[in-house]
């Protein structure tokens, strides 16, 4: 089971999370993976930025907030006889963080590996508190730093697991603890390279940590506890009639996550597919609700499931100035430049001969994308083989997802009609060959309207089948 930041965001929430773990642990062996307390990762990263910028006052202020937050949780959570050990554990972890931040202050630079080592302290703090609480309740538990279990490559800040090595360590460290009757409380988000350099798996990566461990330990199920009732047919803030989906496929869930649904980290499902380990997305604030089950194949018919949207995106357009330059080659080099800058292409669309094409990136990755493209294609741009790159930030992405999209004639037509009837202009369309998702780029100010129109047209609020 994995508990996200809001599910461990206070002493009260930690108590609820531990309660769930204890209850489930009576029925079957359980391991839990925890995020840092809500907002702590942001606070840690912000502190490191202050350190890089030489802002001592900013660092001090953040330290105080960090200390207060965890000491308060500790006081509220633990009985007196468990306080001292936990407080001194918190003190040691905070000192470790201060030491790294101090190094960054001196260097006036944030080396990625130091950042990864420092931000993982948020998860180590929450794991320490929850393990102490479980012990205080008579459930033997042990906080485990995932740097000793999850082996990754060296792509700091966005590392990928090396599953074979992770498997060995997971069995040695975690399965043996479970066998002794100890409940492991593992830090989400972090890992280390084979030679021990600390890494993290990307923002929101605790989901991914949990699925890596579930696969490594051949878990029967993975439960992801969040603060919403499950995976929904749309963002309920945009679409009041949105519903919680009972069951969806790995592919659908992954498409939804990639297209902006915040409920799962996009890489979460990949490690589980081979073994078909089912995943539950559940609400720790309402554990009695069933949540959404994510499985390899659906028992019921194929459906159109959900519509998601992303507002902070940018559309980059490229165009060859004449036929002297191959559009396909330009596209290949552009994609290569984006991959090297670690920029994700959310959607891609091109003219027949690729003389012009456009792609969508996240707003926060736009700068890195442009720098990388401009340097990779500097000569072509300078000699005007390529027209200047154009960027449009006034756009939004809408994606309709569902296994039932495959081979249902007329569906795309209905979607486009619904969007145009809402007077929203469609700028670009992309559909992968899996036909699981249609991604549509629209004018930013029409995005919410378009989401509502599509949800309504496809009756997603009834969980209705399309065919
Ligand atoms: N604490 C990390 C983050 O905020 C990882 C996670 O919560 O999944 O990104
Ligand atoms: Mg999360």
């Amino acid at each position: 089971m994995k508990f996200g930041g809001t599910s461990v965001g206070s002493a009260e929430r930690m108590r609820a999370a531990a309660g769930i773990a204890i209850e489930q642990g009576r029925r079957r062996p359980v391991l839990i993976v925890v995020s840092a307390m809500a907002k702590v990762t942001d606070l840690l990263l912000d502190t490191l930025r202050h350190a890089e910028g030489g802002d001592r006052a900013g660092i001090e202020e953040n330290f105080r907030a960090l200390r207060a937050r965890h000491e308060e949780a500790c006081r509220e959570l633990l009985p007196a006889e468990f306080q001292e050990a936990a407080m001194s554990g918190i003190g040691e972890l905070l000192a470790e963080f201060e030491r790294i931040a101090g190094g960054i202050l001196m260097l006036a630079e944030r080396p990625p590996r130091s950042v990864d080592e420092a931000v993982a302290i948020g998860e180590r703090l929450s794991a320490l508190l929850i393990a102490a609480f479980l012990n205080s309740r008579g459930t033997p538990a042990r906080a485990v730093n995932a740097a000793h279990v999850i082996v990754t490559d060296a792509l700091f800040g966005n590392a990928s697991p090396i599953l074979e090595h992770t498997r060995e360590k997971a069995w040695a460290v975690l399965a043996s603890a479970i066998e002794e009757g100890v409940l492991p409380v593992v830090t989400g988000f972090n890992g280390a390279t084979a030679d021990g350099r600390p890494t993290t798996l990307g923002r929101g990566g605790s989901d991914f940590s949990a699925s890596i461990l579930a696969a490594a330990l051949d878990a029967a199920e993975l439960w992801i506890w969040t603060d919403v009732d499950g995976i929904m047919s749309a963002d309920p803030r945009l679409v009041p009639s949105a519903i919680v989906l009972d069951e969806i496929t790995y592919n659908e869930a992954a498409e939804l996550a990639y297209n902006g649904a915040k409920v799962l980290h996009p890489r979460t499902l990949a490690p589980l597919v081979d073994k078909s380990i089912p995943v539950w997305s559940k609400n720790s604030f309402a554990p009695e609700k069933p949540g959404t089950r994510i499985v390899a194949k659906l028992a019921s018919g194929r459906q159109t499931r959900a519509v998601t949207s992303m507002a902070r995106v940018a559309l980059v357009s490229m165009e060859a100035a004449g036929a002297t330059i191959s559009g396909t080659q330009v596209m290949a080099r552009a994609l290569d430049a984006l991959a090297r800058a670690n920029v994700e292409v959310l959607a891609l669309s091109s003219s027949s001969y690729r003389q012009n094409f456009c792609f969508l990136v996240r707003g926060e990755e736009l700068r890195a994308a442009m720098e990388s493209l401009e340097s990779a294609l500097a000569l072509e741009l300078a000699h005007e083989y390529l027209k200047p790159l154009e960027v449009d930030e006034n756009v939004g992405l809408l994606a309709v997802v569902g296994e039932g999209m495959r081979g249902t004639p007329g569906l795309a037509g209905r979607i486009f009609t619904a969007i145009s009837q809402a007077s929203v202009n469609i700028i670009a369309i992309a559909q992968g060959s899996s036909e699981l998702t249609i991604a549509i780029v629209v004018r930013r100010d029409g995005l919410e309207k378009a989401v509502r129109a599509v949800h309504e047209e496809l009756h997603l609020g009834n969980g209705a089948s399309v065919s």
Side-chain angles (χ1 to χ4, degrees):
M1 302 202 296
K2 176 262 175 175
F3 293 93
T6 48
S7 298
V8 298
S10 64
E12 190 201 334
R13 298 315 308 159
M14 287 182 177
R15 224 176 259 129
I20 291 171
I22 292 171
E23 194 201 321
Q24 293 302 323
R26 287 198 195 103
R27 305 182 199 178
R28 57 175 91 70
V30 165
L31 170 154
I32 68 179
V33 172
V34 294
S35 285
M37 294 176 77
K39 303 262 154 56
V40 163
T41 307
D42 289 333
L43 189 62
L44 295 169
L45 285 167
D46 184 59
T47 312
L48 302 180
R49 277 190 290 270
H50 284 306
E52 183 181 35
D55 171 11
R56 281 174 199 274
I59 302 176
E60 286 303 322
E61 193 185 324
N62 284 5
F63 275 158
R64 275 195 296 277
L66 208 58
R67 181 175 297 278
R69 185 91 188 276
H70 290 91
E71 289 186 350
E72 182 189 315
C74 182
R75 269 192 300 277
E76 285 179 22
L77 187 65
L78 297 177
E81 64 275 26
F82 284 83
Q83 295 259 338
E84 202 184 305
M87 284 289 186
S88 88
I90 292 173
E92 277 165 32
L93 287 172
L94 290 175
E96 198 174 325
F97 181 72
E98 289 192 39
R99 181 180 56 72
I100 302 169
I104 288 174
L105 182 73
M106 247 162 52
L107 286 171
E109 189 182 311
R110 281 178 296 159
R113 87 161 257 189
S114 304
V115 171
D116 279 4
E117 183 169 14
V119 285
I121 288 173
E123 270 70 13
R124 291 169 66 195
L125 286 161
S126 61
L128 177 148
L129 284 167
I130 292 164
F133 179 69
L134 287 163
N135 281 310
S136 79
R137 283 293 164 95
T139 297
R142 188 179 303 152
V144 178
N145 181 351
H148 304 308
V149 182
I150 295 183
V151 183
T152 71
D153 63 17
L155 191 58
F156 298 101
N158 196 25
S160 295
I162 299 170
L163 291 173
E164 262 328 292
H165 291 185
T166 301
R167 197 179 169 79
E168 278 164 35
K169 293 205 175 196
W171 280 88
V173 178
L174 302 174
S176 60
I178 293 172
E179 223 137 81
E180 287 164 41
V182 173
L183 193 159
V185 183
V186 186
T187 57
F189 190 37
N190 71 325
T193 60
D195 56 357
R197 288 172 294 158
T199 55
T200 58
L201 304 170
R203 290 308 305 273
S206 296
D207 294 342
F208 193 26
S209 308
S211 75
I212 292 165
L213 294 178
L217 292 167
D218 302 319
E221 291 189 347
L222 168 62
W223 295 19
I224 300 209
W225 293 97
T226 66
D227 55 4
V228 291
D229 289 344
I231 298 179
M232 300 193 68
S233 60
D235 181 340
R237 287 166 303 184
L238 302 184
V239 185
S241 61
I243 56 162
V244 176
L245 304 167
D246 321 329
E247 207 178 43
I248 65 173
T249 65
Y250 292 137
N251 287 335
E252 289 171 336
E255 288 286 337
L256 287 173
Y258 274 112
N259 287 292
K262 294 207 177 53
V263 51
L264 270 187
H265 185 275
R267 293 203 280 170
T268 307
L269 297 162
L272 306 171
V273 173
D274 274 352
K275 292 177 185 150
S276 296
I277 299 172
V279 183
W280 287 92
S281 165
K282 285 175 72 80
N283 189 349
S284 75
F285 292 73
E288 70 289 351
K289 293 194 177 158
T292 301
R293 193 172 136 88
I294 309 169
V295 293
K297 258 193 136 144
L298 287 184
S300 55
R302 294 179 305 158
Q303 299 178 336
T304 303
R305 292 328 201 102
V307 48
T308 59
S309 60
M310 279 166 101
R312 292 194 48 221
V313 291
L315 191 70
V316 181
S317 305
M318 300 181 66
E319 182 168 357
T324 38
I325 179 166
S326 144
T328 306
Q329 275 173 24
V330 173
M331 189 156 156
R333 286 173 53 199
L335 291 175
D336 180 57
L338 294 168
R340 270 185 284 117
N342 214 0
V343 170
E344 195 161 353
V345 176
L346 300 168
L348 176 77
S349 162
S350 90
S351 67
S352 311
Y353 288 104
R354 259 140 302 277
Q355 274 327 91
N356 58 63
F357 60 92
C358 61
F359 52 83
L360 197 73
V361 297
R362 292 197 174 84
E364 62 266 27
E365 293 182 350
L366 177 62
R367 235 181 83 193
M370 293 306 285
E371 281 171 13
S372 186
L373 286 170
E374 274 162 359
S375 104
L377 296 162
L379 278 179
E380 288 77 0
L381 286 164
H383 295 292
E384 293 176 10
Y385 290 128
L386 273 181
K387 296 193 181 161
L389 308 185
E390 274 176 33
V391 177
D392 187 349
E393 291 185 81
N394 194 15
V395 296
L397 172 73
L398 172 154
V400 190
V401 175
E403 303 269 3
M405 310 270 291
R406 213 186 329 248
T408 307
L411 202 61
R414 277 169 64 195
I415 293 168
F416 302 146
T417 307
I419 294 176
S420 24
Q421 272 170 359
S423 313
V424 177
N425 206 358
I426 294 178
I427 299 168
I429 298 162
Q431 182 175 36
S433 48
S434 75
E435 289 186 49
L436 209 66
T437 301
I438 297 184
I440 301 167
V441 181
V442 298
R443 280 271 144 252
R444 173 66 193 82
D445 58 8
L447 181 61
E448 281 89 2
K449 251 197 305 186
V451 168
R452 279 191 285 272
V454 170
H455 195 269
E456 167 94 38
E457 168 64 29
L458 300 179
H459 309 298
L460 299 177
N462 309 333
S465 169
V466 285
S467 38

